[in-house]
Amino acid sequence: QVQLVESGGGLVQAGGSLRLSCAASGRTFSTNVLGWFRQAPGKEREFVASISWGRASIYYTDSVKGRFTISRDNAKNTVYLQMNSLMFEDTAVYYCAAKGVSSWAYWGQGTQVTVSS
């Protein structure tokens, strides 16, 4: 299996920045895509961004384009989410996920991001 551990969450003022990290271990060869999701209280879990291991194909949800940047370090089996110009609406638990053959099969425990206005 694949283990995913997020870090880097915290409390930040609106307009500030955070960088989330997701370290993958275990059978990392079993997945080719890593991504970030978030879930705010009382809301559905939302896709944020994803990146592939090989060619680094990148996707973002519209609400974070121009503010968030996903990247990866293949040697460290780590994916990052640089979050700039944070807004109150970005407050959520952020989850790292790894895609299996048909779905997002592996999930981290989540890290809380709280943006104060």
Side-chain angles (χ1 to χ4, degrees), residues 6 9 12 16 25 28 36 55 57 65 76 92 110 114-115:
E6 304 97 332
V12 65
S25 61
T28 56
W36 290 95
R55 296 184 178 182
S57 298
K65 288 180 179 177
K76 296 181 178 180
T114 302
V115 183

Side-chain angles (χ1 to χ4, degrees), residues 11-117:
L11 175 65
V12 65
Q13 292 182 332
S17 299
L18 285 173
R19 189 180 75 160
L20 306 183
S21 298
C22 173
S25 61
R27 295 169 57 90
T28 56
F29 53 83
S30 298
T31 181
N32 196 46
V33 182
L34 294 181
W36 290 95
F37 292 74
R38 65 186 181 185
Q39 187 167 21
K43 296 187 179 297
E44 300 274 318
R45 184 172 296 182
E46 175 190 25
F47 170 81
V48 177
S50 66
I51 186 168
S52 64
W53 288 122
R55 296 184 178 182
S57 298
I58 292 172
Y59 299 91
Y60 296 101
T61 191
D62 286 345
S63 63
V64 308
K65 288 180 179 177
R67 300 189 299 120
F68 291 10
T69 302
I70 190 170
S71 62
R72 52 109 173 95
D73 185 334
N74 287 358
K76 296 181 178 180
N77 290 323
T78 300
V79 64
Y80 305 94
L81 186 68
Q82 178 67 47
M83 305 185 294
N84 298 327
S85 301
L86 283 162
M87 303 182 295
F88 175 76
E89 293 78 10
D90 296 316
T91 296
V93 177
Y94 283 70
Y95 296 91
C96 181
K99 201 170 187 177
V101 293
S102 301
S103 64
W104 295 92
Y106 310 100
W107 296 84
Q109 293 291 93
T111 185
Q112 177 70 49
V113 172
T114 302
V115 183
S116 61
S117 59

